[in-house]
Amino acid sequence: MAQSVLGEELQPCSYDPLTGWFRDGCCNTDAQDFGVHTVCAVLTEEFLEFSASVGNDLAAPQPEIGFDGLKPGDRWCLCASRWAEALEAGVAPPVVLEATHARTLEWVSRRDLEAHRATIG
């Protein structure tokens, strides 16, 4: 079973919108996931604007692939490298640690992730 950055069983990130490399709701990964879609983030307007500015407009609907676009408050499995870029730019979105895959720690420190822990409730 996959582990979270907390060393526990990986929890689901989002079923609505359906996220994950495998589109199973979890930030699971495998050797084919070159983007390393392992960070369960709670999207913010600032992050969505940043992502669009660097070439990945997550807010734009793409009906041809069944993608409605994302909005602030949505949970989404982000690429670990994109989250690290957003951290560097000062716009890293909050992270659901229980749903963030342990492989993320190859890209960013647990301390940085914990500093951006999403408050759920």
Side-chain angles (χ1 to χ4, degrees):
M1 186 54 75
Q3 286 193 338
S4 74
V5 293
L6 300 174
E8 301 166 350
E9 183 178 335
L10 186 66
Q11 298 300 306
C13 181
S14 175
Y15 296 115
D16 184 21
L18 187 60
T19 192
W21 171 247
F22 298 107
R23 289 298 188 263
D24 62 357
C26 294
C27 297
N28 283 310
T29 189
D30 67 8
Q32 304 306 311
D33 179 12
F34 297 114
V36 190
H37 297 78
T38 57
V39 179
C40 181
V42 180
L43 302 180
T44 62
E45 184 65 38
E46 295 80 13
F47 173 78
L48 289 168
E49 290 173 4
F50 168 78
S51 187
S53 77
V54 294
N56 188 16
D57 189 352
L58 296 171
Q62 297 180 49
E64 66 278 7
I65 62 168
F67 182 71
D68 294 333
L70 300 171
K71 62 188 180 314
D74 284 344
R75 289 187 185 189
W76 194 251
C77 294
L78 295 178
C79 295
S81 60
R82 177 69 73 215
W83 193 88
E85 288 174 346
L87 178 66
E88 184 75 21
V91 294
V95 176
V96 180
L97 298 178
E98 298 82 359
T100 296
H101 195 284
R103 186 164 176 217
T104 303
L105 298 174
E106 296 172 17
W107 293 89
V108 295
S109 73
R110 181 170 166 169
R111 187 180 78 226
D112 284 337
L113 292 168
E114 287 177 345
H116 290 81
R117 186 177 202 154
T119 52
I120 308 297

